[in-house]
Amino acid sequence: AVRIAGMDTLVAIMAGLIIFPACFAYGVAPDAGPDLVFLTLPAVFEQMPLGQLWGTIFFLCMAFAALSTVIAVFENILRFSMDQWDVTRKRAVAINGPLLALLSLPCVFGYNIWSDFLVPGIGDVQSLEDFILSNNILPIGCLLFVLFCTTKGGWGWDKFMAEADRGEGVTFPKWTRLWVKYGVPALILIVFFTGWAPTMQTWLGLA
């Protein structure tokens, strides 16, 4: 778990060190949203020797990364359905597969028949879905999860520690209790309100 989290964070930092300087170098807004990787990196690859080759390899790897992520997320949905309602895997697939395909249509249509759809302060369909997920569902979900693990009204710190330290490997540091209980929720709230600030400024006519 430590290695995975460490490598994931390292890759994210390295990607940021590449993408954001490239944004300013090629005049692309760093807050362009989901299209950033499709706007900025092609411009970078064009300036590189064998840029088309490196670009092809990069987007091919990104396609595999997206596919593996979809498989992992879908497995979580299937397992939840199987555990929650005691259904077989085939039935869980039969129920969730069409629902996920239906829910994916707005993102697909956003590249063609709904390409003119814009939300002020947010952007097109893809940006709207990214805003809903990244600026709302993820931080609120993280906040509820942290509060559930650290407060008596939820799981509680002792039960969380017992679960986190099961098995072998690195134990969860006990000295982080105050930080996890108060510091982490405060940071999550800062991220949440910071994500909403530009949109609210646009809606209120302040931007």
Side-chain angles (χ1 to χ4, degrees):
V2 173
R3 285 196 293 268
I4 291 173
M7 288 298 295
D8 182 72
T9 304
L10 178 62
V11 170
I13 293 174
M14 293 176 63
L17 293 176
I18 296 172
I19 293 176
F20 288 107
C23 288
F24 296 106
Y26 296 104
V28 178
D31 58 349
D35 292 335
L36 184 62
V37 68
F38 302 107
L39 295 172
T40 306
L41 290 182
V44 175
F45 289 132
E46 286 181 1
Q47 309 299 319
M48 295 172 57
L50 301 176
Q52 291 185 344
L53 173 62
W54 297 120
T56 301
I57 294 174
F58 171 81
F59 285 109
L60 184 62
C61 291
M62 192 172 71
F64 282 115
L67 179 61
S68 63
T69 301
V70 169
I71 293 174
V73 172
F74 193 50
E75 177 61 26
N76 286 332
I77 297 173
L78 290 180
R79 176 49 58 185
F80 174 81
S81 301
M82 293 163 63
D83 292 342
Q84 188 73 15
W85 294 292
D86 193 26
V87 297
T88 63
R89 174 174 289 272
K90 289 184 178 180
R91 186 170 183 180
V93 172
I95 295 172
N96 289 287
L99 288 176
L100 290 175
L102 183 64
L103 293 172
S104 299
L105 289 180
C107 184
V108 175
F109 292 156
Y111 286 102
N112 39 74
I113 61 176
W114 289 354
S115 59
D116 295 331
F117 175 83
L118 293 174
V119 177
I122 297 177
D124 55 16
V125 175
Q126 289 80 16
S127 298
L128 176 62
E129 291 189 339
D130 179 64
F131 177 80
I132 293 173
L133 180 65
S134 301
N135 293 49
N136 295 275
I137 295 178
L138 286 178
I140 293 174
C142 290
L143 179 62
L144 293 176
F145 184 77
V146 171
L147 294 178
F148 176 77
C149 291
T150 58
T151 59
K152 294 181 179 179
W155 207 2
W157 178 259
D158 293 335
K159 292 182 179 179
F160 163 71
M161 288 292 296
E163 177 65 23
D165 291 343
R166 289 180 61 183
E168 300 179 355
V170 180
T171 59
F172 198 90
K174 295 181 180 179
W175 58 268
T176 61
R177 179 173 184 173
L178 292 179
W179 167 250
V180 174
K181 188 174 183 178
Y182 299 106
V184 172
L187 287 179
I188 294 174
L189 289 174
I190 291 173
V191 170
F192 176 76
F193 288 114
T194 301
W196 265 93
T199 302
M200 291 303 299
Q201 288 179 350
T202 301
W203 288 356
L204 296 175
L206 301 177

